DNA sequence: AGCTAACCGAGACGGTACGTCCGGTCTTTGT
DNA sequence: ACAAAGACCGGACGTACCGTCTCGGTTAGCT
């Protein structure tokens, strides 16, 4: 998220050192205790250099995460439920492991910073929503999901629970509970049986 | 979340002034810009007095919100879907209105602070989950929900979407979308029609 | 040169530590390399505490010097010329010794800072001019100086040379030269002999 | 004060632009607020170019002043006292006018920088001392000054007062006071009348 | 006339210190 | 006796300049 200076003259070594330092320090002491000061020191870089290219510590961490975590293809073993289970497990691990406090830290910060929120959504989340929907569309073609299922609703029902639990610290579902959740979420797209 | 001093000798007027100031300032400048310093000044209170009774700005704001928002009974008009719609709309308003930035601020802070997270869950959230489940149980008795429906799953499916959208700034559902969501969530508890 | 806070509540230990640190550091590294940052560190004091009571590093050093160097009586052995020699030698030592770089540093800074210049004049210089003039007045009573001699002119002629040499780094007079200078300066007040 | 690069290939336009910018900015904002950064920007020149040819901001300003103020002949109307008055008035104007803050700034900086002090003395001051002494020697030949008068002492007595007053901000002499000062200074070289 | 070394503009960089803000603790003072 | 008022240490903030360092692009003077 560069601001104004000439990106062509940017020092790639400094950029890498900054992003690496940000992730390391976040893992070591937690996102909350991360400071620009410490990142600069660890990276052997002037604070000015950080402020030249990023507008806040959140922006640095977002870049660092984005840089690290290339968008992976959605798992596809043929079984939609199994693939959702696999992928949700990965997400839960990411949100839960202490060394990835950067991710929840970023989520927390974005809740209070519109600009950061925008970048978080567009750069990290949107692409992953896209691959998720592609996987669902394939499932529709294969008859594992109703052809008229609203994929946005599916997104809400399948991923919503994880973030609801995250936000209120209700504990993440164990594999068994996760299977139950997925099962219910998918059943929501079965044709209605009766009026309610 | 008092710490140690004798609560009997506590000055109620100061307590009220502090909680009021915290909410006012949060509404005026946003939770992120809220400082203990400013609360003390606005409340006409020494910083010491704040630190005597609370451990962090999050704790103050939690108290303030708790104090303000008594646990309301879950709406009950007889129609489960309609009541869910009503209550979810209230939640969305709360999470969305700028003057209630204290709530999302608290959520954000709790993501990074285990102790605050614990208090947030136990004091604000748990009681509301309880009333929600009571309402569902009544619906089961009335036949609006399968008697064997797992109420924890219902909680996840019904409230999850809101927080998923909050966390990634995906936009809150409009009333129409909300109705669709509730409809799908409830359908997840219909008896299965076929093997999947 | 306090700004606004309540001087009654001032911490004397901090004040002393700051002034001592300023003089020490000035002697060690030179006034030019003196920083508020280093003074705070050496004094074990928050930078805020320094800025609370002083407006600039010059103001701190002025206080430190003022605190250290009480106004001494002008030497008085009965011989005006000898006493001037004694006192001028002391001034030259002060302006010359490396460990007193604080004094010339202050002079330099005052050349660029009107407020500091004002304080330097009123607090350090003016009182010493007063004692100097008193000594001259005594010499007048004793017949060592013409009774109608203009004491401001005498001040200029006697002290001027030192500062002229200081400012342009022309080298301070050795004791012999100093005697010659004083002799000439005093002779300027002899009654005129002839028209010029 | 060139350092090492080949002076033959030097860009005269850049040199002029830098010196002009230095004087302009010094006049506009004061020597103290002058920065190499700003000079480079105003002159449309790279900072590197400045550092290539000068060692400090003081060196730049010294060059600028030297460039501007060619050494003028000492005034010579036949009356020594009148000529001294004329020339001292010019010096006082130079040291007093706000737009010439560069001069006092340079003096201030030289008080803290031996190398700059050396250059200031040798390039600006020494030549002017030389012309001053020449004027005095002529006065000696004409019988306006004792033939055995020590010209260094005369320099001290005549110019000293101005710098004493500059350094301690005692106010410059008005024309009347200046005449008195010169009169006394010259009288110091009259033959002694009596033992003192 | 062409080559090449240098100077040049631009400006990113590692640093140092700035002056400010706020967190939490401790002290003084008035009521 | 209690708090209010607020001074205090500490530490991070974001900024300003420092002086150094590439970059390409002129430009000058020697082949």
């Amino acid at each position: 998220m560069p601001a104004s200076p000439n990106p062509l003259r940017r020092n790639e070594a400094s950029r890498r050192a900054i992003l690496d330092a940000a992730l390391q320090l976040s893992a070591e002491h937690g996102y909350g205790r991360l400071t620009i000061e410490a990142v600069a020191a660890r990276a052997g870089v002037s604070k000015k250099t950080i402020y030249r290219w990023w507008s806040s510590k959140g922006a640095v961490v977002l870049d660092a995460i984005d840089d690290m975590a290339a968008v992976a293809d959605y798992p596809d073993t043929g079984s939609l439920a199994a693939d959702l289970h696999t992928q949700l497990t990965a997400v839960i691990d990411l949100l839960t492991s202490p060394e990835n406090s950067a991710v929840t830290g970023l989520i927390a910060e974005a809740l209070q910073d519109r600009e950061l929120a925008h970048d978080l959504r567009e750069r990290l989340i949107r692409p992953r929503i896209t691959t998720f929907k592609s996987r669902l569309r394939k499932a529709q073609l294969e008859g594992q999901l109703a052809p008229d299922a609203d994929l946005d609703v599916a997104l809400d029902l399948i991923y919503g629970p994880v973030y609801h639990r995250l936000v209120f610290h209700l504990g993440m579902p164990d594999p068994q509970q996760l299977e139950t959740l997925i099962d219910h979420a998918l059943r929501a797209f079965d044709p209605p049986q009766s009026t309610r």
Side-chain angles (χ1 to χ4, degrees), chain A residues 177-196:
Chain A
Q177 292 171 323
L178 186 56
E179 190 181 328
T180 305
L181 271 170
I182 293 169
D183 183 52
H184 278 82
L186 291 180
R187 235 190 291 161
F189 296 98
D190 286 349
Q193 293 174 284
S194 56
T195 58
R196 188 181 301 105

Side-chain angles (χ1 to χ4, degrees), chain A residues 142-165:
Chain A
E142 292 167 351
Q144 296 190 27
L145 186 65
D148 64 346
D150 183 329
L151 302 189
D152 284 310
V153 172
L155 176 69
D156 277 331
L157 293 183
I158 291 168
Y159 283 90
V162 169
Y163 294 99
H164 178 226
R165 286 159 175 258

